[in-house]
Amino acid sequence: MSELSEPRIPEAPAIQRLPLLQLLLVGLQHVLLMYGGAVAVPLIIGQAAGLSREEIAFLINADLLVAGIATLVQSFGIGPLGIRMPVMMGASFAAVGSMVAMAGMPGIGMTGIFGATIAAGFFGMLIAPFMSKVVRFFPPLVTGTVITAIGLSLFPVAVNWAGGGSTVVQFGSPIYLTVAGLVLATILLINRFMRGFWVNISVLIGMALGYVLSGAIGMVDLSGLAQAPWVKVVTPLHFGMPQFHLAPILSMCLVVVIIFVESTGMFLALGKITGQEVTPRMLRRGLLCDAGASFLAGFFNTFTHSSFAQNIGLVQMTGVRCRSVTMVAGGFLIVLSLLPKAAFLVASIPPAVLGGAAIAMFGMVAATGIKILQEADISDRRNQLLVAVSIGMGLIPVVRPEFFAHLPQWMGPITHSGIAMATLSAVALNLLFNVLGGAERAALSGHVHPH
C-alpha cells in the first residue's frame, strides 16, 4: 500500500476524556519519571564545558522548554510533525559522549555544539522519510526482541537509582533500599487491592510516600532553593550565534541516525501497548518531530532530543494510553522551564524514590517485549538464536561499557547504546535467517514461513 493510499492516522487512543484531576496526576507522573534524565544531559555537558552554576541552570531550563514543546507536538501532531501517541521527549543520551568531546575541543565550545545540533536536526528531517520505510523490517520477532532489550537495558538505571545513585558513597545503604522498597511495595499493593483511578496514579502515590519518608530522614536536599528566581524566561541564542564545524556536524549526524533507530523501536513498542498499528506514515511523522526538536533545540541553547523509553513502561503500568496525558505532561515541562523554583523541587526527588518506581516500570517494558515474542515462531531454533544474540548484544554496553573502547571513536554512539546494538542485531539476523533464507526454509518446511 502506498503512503498516498494509507488510511488517515487513527484518532484512538485519542484525546480521551479523563477526569481533570486524574489527567493532571498521571501527566505529573510522566514528568517526575523523565525529569532526572531530562536534566542529566545539560548538567553533564555544562560541567564538561566549565560553565557556571547559573549557566548550567539556564541549560536545564532550556532543555525543559524544548522537551515540553516537542512532547506537545509529538503527542498532538502539528502539520507533518508528531506521531500522535503518548510520547515524552527529552535530551538524548546518545549524543553525550560526542558533545563532551566537543566541549573540550579548542574553538568549538557551546556554540559549536549548538551549531552541530542544528545541522544534525536538519539532516534528520531530510532522511526521516527514508528511515520511515524500515517498518517492514520489524515483524513481531524483531519488535519483541527490541522491546525486551529496551527494558533490560534500562533496568541497571533503576538499580542504580534504588541503591541511592551511582555517585553516593554508601551505595546500597539500608536507608536507600528501604525508601526504594517502600515505593515499590506501595505500587504493588495499590495494583493488587485498588482499581481504576488509584491504579492509574499508583506510581505517583508511591513516589509521594517515598519523598515524604526521604524528607523526614534528611535525604532531601533543598539548599539553593531560596536563591533560585521565581520566574526566568529562556531566550534563544543565549550563548551567541551557533558555529558550524564539519567534524562535530558529522558526529552529530551519526547520532541522529542512532536516535532514529532507537525511536523506531520505541514507537513500535508504544504501538503494541496502545493497540495502534504504526504505519510508515506515522513513523515518518514521529521521526520528523524528533529531528525538528533537535533543530529547534540548537537555537534554544540545548541538545539533540528523542523519545524517552522509560515513559513507555509508565503507559503500560498505569493503563492510561491516551495522548492527552502526555500533552498535559508537556505543558508541565514548559511551566517548569519558566519557574526555576518549581523545577528545583522536582529535581530534589532522591534517586532511591525514582528507583523503586523504575524497577516496576522498566520491568514492564521487558514484559511487553516477551508478550510480543509470543506472536512469533519462537519454537524455531534460528529465531531463538536471533533473540538470544540480539539481547546479548544489547546488554554488552550495559554490563561492560568499556567493551568497545578500542574501536574508532565515531562508532561510540552505536556501541554505547544497548538499544541500538539490539535493534541492529535483530534486524540483521532477521534478514539473514528469515528474509534472505526464506526460500530455503520454505523448501525444508514445505510452506512459506509466516515471517
Side-chain angles (χ1 to χ4, degrees):
M1 181 181 291
S2 69
E3 287 194 13
L4 291 177
S5 60
E6 279 186 14
R8 184 172 62 89
I9 297 177
E11 291 297 327
I15 305 175
Q16 181 180 338
R17 295 187 179 276
L18 294 174
L20 179 60
L21 179 60
Q22 183 175 350
L23 194 63
L24 293 173
L25 292 177
V26 179
L28 181 59
Q29 284 183 139
H30 276 286
V31 172
L32 295 179
L33 180 62
M34 61 82 67
Y35 191 89
V39 303
V41 174
L43 185 62
I44 293 169
I45 304 306
Q47 290 174 342
L51 300 183
S52 67
R53 185 172 181 177
E54 291 74 19
E55 289 174 323
I56 293 175
F58 185 89
L59 284 182
I60 291 173
N61 286 342
D63 180 63
L64 293 176
L65 175 64
V66 174
I69 294 172
T71 297
L72 284 172
V73 174
Q74 194 72 278
S75 303
F76 184 73
I78 296 178
L81 305 178
I83 198 169
R84 297 178 182 174
M85 294 173 70
V87 174
M88 292 296 294
M89 299 282 291
S92 172
F93 275 91
V96 168
S98 298
M99 290 190 294
V100 168
M102 292 178 208
M105 291 180 184
I108 303 297
M110 297 304 298
T111 54
I113 292 175
F114 296 142
T117 301
I118 293 169
F122 182 73
F123 170 76
M125 289 189 282
L126 293 179
I127 67 169
F130 304 99
M131 291 291 292
S132 65
K133 309 287 187 184
V134 303
V135 172
R136 67 179 185 272
F137 298 113
F138 285 81
L141 176 66
V142 173
T143 304
T145 302
V146 170
I147 296 170
T148 302
I150 290 173
L152 294 177
S153 64
L154 287 171
F155 208 75
V157 176
V159 173
N160 276 329
W161 283 345
S166 56
T167 60
V168 297
V169 177
Q170 293 184 315
F171 180 83
S173 166
I175 292 294
Y176 301 137
L177 302 186
T178 300
V179 171
L182 171 69
V183 175
L184 179 59
T186 301
I187 294 171
L188 295 175
L189 290 173
I190 291 175
N191 277 270
R192 170 61 181 86
F193 295 107
M194 302 289 189
R195 293 289 183 272
F197 172 77
W198 298 106
V199 172
N200 293 344
I201 64 168
S202 60
V203 175
L204 183 61
I205 295 173
M207 292 177 66
L209 288 177
Y211 188 82
V212 170
L213 174 61
S214 300
I217 60 180
M219 284 176 54
V220 177
D221 181 13
L222 296 178
S223 60
L225 176 62
Q227 289 74 38
W230 282 103
V231 178
K232 187 168 185 177
V233 177
V234 175
T235 53
L237 305 178
H238 176 79
F239 293 86
M241 290 298 295
Q243 297 181 16
F244 300 93
H245 304 276
L246 181 59
I249 288 173
L250 293 176
S251 176
M252 293 297 279
C253 287
L254 176 60
V255 167
V256 165
V257 174
I258 301 307
I259 287 174
F260 278 3
V261 172
E262 293 180 345
S263 292
T264 297
M266 292 182 229
F267 292 149
L268 292 172
L270 201 54
K272 292 290 184 180
I273 292 171
T274 59
Q276 281 187 290
E277 179 187 357
V278 178
T279 64
R281 183 186 176 199
M282 290 176 66
L283 182 58
R284 183 187 68 218
R285 292 176 61 94
L287 296 180
L288 277 173
C289 186
D290 276 10
S294 298
F295 181 77
L296 177 69
F299 290 103
F300 275 86
N301 321 289
T302 187
F303 315 105
T304 50
H305 273 56
S306 67
S307 310
F308 265 37
Q310 51 262 52
N311 290 86
I312 295 173
L314 185 57
V315 173
Q316 175 76 334
M317 186 83 187
T318 62
V320 180
R321 300 167 185 178
C322 60
R323 53 195 172 104
S324 53
V325 169
T326 48
M327 290 162 62
V328 168
F332 274 131
L333 288 173
I334 294 174
V335 171
L336 285 172
S337 75
L338 300 173
L339 304 175
K341 283 188 183 293
F344 192 101
L345 284 174
V346 177
S348 70
I349 298 175
V353 174
L354 294 171
I359 286 174
M361 289 181 293
F362 296 172
M364 287 292 284
V365 177
T368 300
I370 294 171
K371 179 182 178 182
I372 296 170
L373 282 173
Q374 295 174 354
E375 302 175 21
D377 183 12
I378 202 63
S379 63
D380 186 288
R381 180 180 56 82
R382 293 184 185 179
N383 289 344
Q384 292 174 10
L385 194 58
L386 180 152
V387 174
V389 171
S390 299
I391 290 179
M393 293 296 290
L395 289 178
I396 288 175
V398 174
V399 178
R400 292 299 295 267
E402 71 277 16
F403 188 83
F404 296 109
H406 298 291
L407 293 183
Q409 187 177 3
W410 65 266
M411 297 181 65
I414 302 172
T415 57
H416 287 103
S417 170
I419 298 173
M421 292 287 290
T423 301
L424 295 174
S425 173
V427 170
L429 291 178
N430 184 60
L431 287 172
L432 175 65
F433 291 157
N434 297 321
V435 178
L436 298 180
E440 173 197 348
R441 299 186 70 176
L444 290 174
S445 60
H447 66 277
V448 177
H449 204 274
H451 299 303

